[in-house]
Amino acid sequence: MLKNTQNLLDIMARLRDPERGCPWDLRQDFATLIPYLIEEAYEVVDAIERNDMDDLRSELGDLLLQVVFHSQLAKERGLFDFEQVSASISDKLIRRHPHVFADAVFETDAERQEAWEQAKAEERRAKETSAEPVSVLAGVAGSLPALLECEKIQDRAAQHGFDWPDAPPVFDKVMEELEEVREAWQSGDQYHIREEIGDLLLVVVNLARHLDVNAEMALKESTKKFSRRFNYIEQQVASSGRNLTDCDLYELDAFWHEAKQVLKRKTD
């Protein structure tokens, strides 16, 4: 196993060799690799959702390549190397699991989660470079998908008491924000409309949190469901020798409701 890991590191070093390497790999830097890093992470998720274990093995390899690539770039700049990356995450795992690697005892998942968050907070404080206190929201990556970033920010605030105690008032807030979107739309102020739509999305994420639903995954699943139903509409229209634009909304909506019933039976 370690032999294969070293072989991967050696291959990456060869690809980055100034004289014998690959021109494309030599042109890359941390910033240019960002799109590939994100894409590979999503392809891992896709393989998991499809329960394709052969593809998952392959996609995990592609994701690992991104870690190795970034580590090689850092090594060339004298910053750190793959070994130090491995050591860093190993130390972090041990530090955040005192109930496994030390004598701590947690009676509930809530106690374990609280200790986990405290460990993360201590790590953030250790990174302080000035006398200014670090915000409890610090460390949430701004490049995360918007729904996921929103959820993590809200989780941090909730851990410090800034959240509704239960779901009922959040339902009320959703309706309040929805009405504000309607008012903004009636005003015709596009900037205000966007602002209120953002507020509505934020409070919907909060509602999802209170209902123990991952908003990012819920939206992905609903988007896939929409695609399946729309594909059914396309098939029905095509079977009649027409295009979608040949049908009025009333007919397309009828196909939509038909799709809901047909596809529901197929998954039962």
Side-chain angles (χ1 to χ4, degrees):
M1 180 177 178
L2 294 178
K3 178 181 178 181
N4 290 332
T5 302
Q6 185 59 56
N7 188 41
L8 175 58
L9 295 172
D10 292 342
I11 291 171
M12 190 70 254
R14 174 63 185 276
L15 290 171
R16 289 282 301 176
D17 185 278
E19 296 180 359
R20 302 180 300 161
C22 169
W24 185 89
D25 290 275
L26 287 168
R27 287 197 302 270
Q28 306 312 307
D29 57 29
F30 294 118
T32 62
L33 289 175
I34 289 176
Y36 304 102
L37 178 60
I38 294 172
E39 179 182 349
E40 298 301 350
Y42 275 107
E43 290 184 354
V44 167
V45 173
D46 179 65
I48 293 172
E49 291 178 340
R50 290 185 286 103
N51 196 33
D52 188 333
M53 294 299 104
D54 287 337
D55 198 30
L56 176 59
R57 180 184 66 246
S58 176
E59 296 300 345
L60 285 172
D62 291 343
L63 184 58
L64 176 59
L65 172 61
Q66 293 301 311
V67 177
V68 169
F69 207 147
H70 282 272
S71 298
Q72 177 64 29
L73 291 175
K75 182 179 180 180
E76 293 168 6
R77 291 160 174 74
L79 302 173
F80 56 82
D81 58 19
F82 183 81
E83 186 69 16
Q84 289 171 298
V85 171
S86 299
S88 177
I89 187 58
S90 296
D91 292 344
K92 185 182 294 184
L93 287 171
I94 292 172
R95 190 166 58 248
R96 293 186 181 180
H97 292 81
H99 53 300
V100 177
F101 300 103
D103 299 327
V105 177
F106 302 134
E107 300 296 336
T108 65
D109 283 343
E111 291 181 0
R112 178 194 55 76
Q113 183 64 27
E114 181 179 359
W116 175 276
E117 294 299 336
Q118 287 177 349
K120 291 172 66 176
E122 290 172 3
E123 291 166 8
R124 289 195 296 272
R125 284 194 292 271
K127 293 180 180 179
E128 292 185 34
T129 57
S130 69
E132 292 292 328
V134 174
S135 168
V136 298
L137 305 181
V140 176
S143 57
L144 287 172
L147 290 178
L148 183 56
E149 179 188 11
C150 183
E151 182 180 43
K152 287 184 173 295
I153 289 289
Q154 291 182 14
D155 281 341
R156 291 277 184 88
Q159 290 158 16
H160 291 78
F162 192 72
D163 196 13
W164 285 285
D166 48 31
V170 190
F171 279 99
D172 294 337
K173 189 64 177 175
V174 169
M175 300 309 297
E176 176 186 328
E177 293 295 345
L178 182 58
E179 183 57 32
E180 290 183 4
V181 170
R182 183 190 299 275
E183 293 172 0
W185 167 65
Q186 291 172 339
S187 75
D189 184 335
Q190 192 61 34
Y191 175 83
H192 188 38
I193 294 171
R194 184 180 67 183
E195 182 181 35
E196 294 300 340
I197 286 287
D199 290 347
L200 176 61
L201 291 172
L202 185 143
V203 76
V204 168
V205 170
N206 198 297
L207 179 61
R209 289 179 50 255
H210 280 276
L211 300 180
D212 294 323
V213 170
N214 182 297
E216 183 77 17
M217 296 306 297
L219 181 58
K220 281 180 66 68
E221 290 166 4
S222 289
T223 301
K224 289 179 179 179
K225 181 168 59 178
F226 176 93
S227 296
R228 289 194 298 271
R229 292 174 180 175
F230 191 80
N231 288 339
Y232 177 88
I233 294 173
E234 290 178 308
Q235 292 167 8
Q236 299 310 304
V237 173
S239 67
S240 67
R242 296 177 295 164
N243 296 317
L244 289 172
T245 52
D246 297 327
C247 306
D248 59 27
L249 181 58
Y250 178 83
E251 184 177 7
L252 295 177
D253 191 53
F255 281 136
W256 174 268
H257 287 285
E258 184 178 309
K260 291 172 65 176
Q261 297 303 316
V262 172
L263 297 177
K264 183 177 185 298
R265 289 196 296 268
K266 289 182 178 179
T267 57
D268 286 345

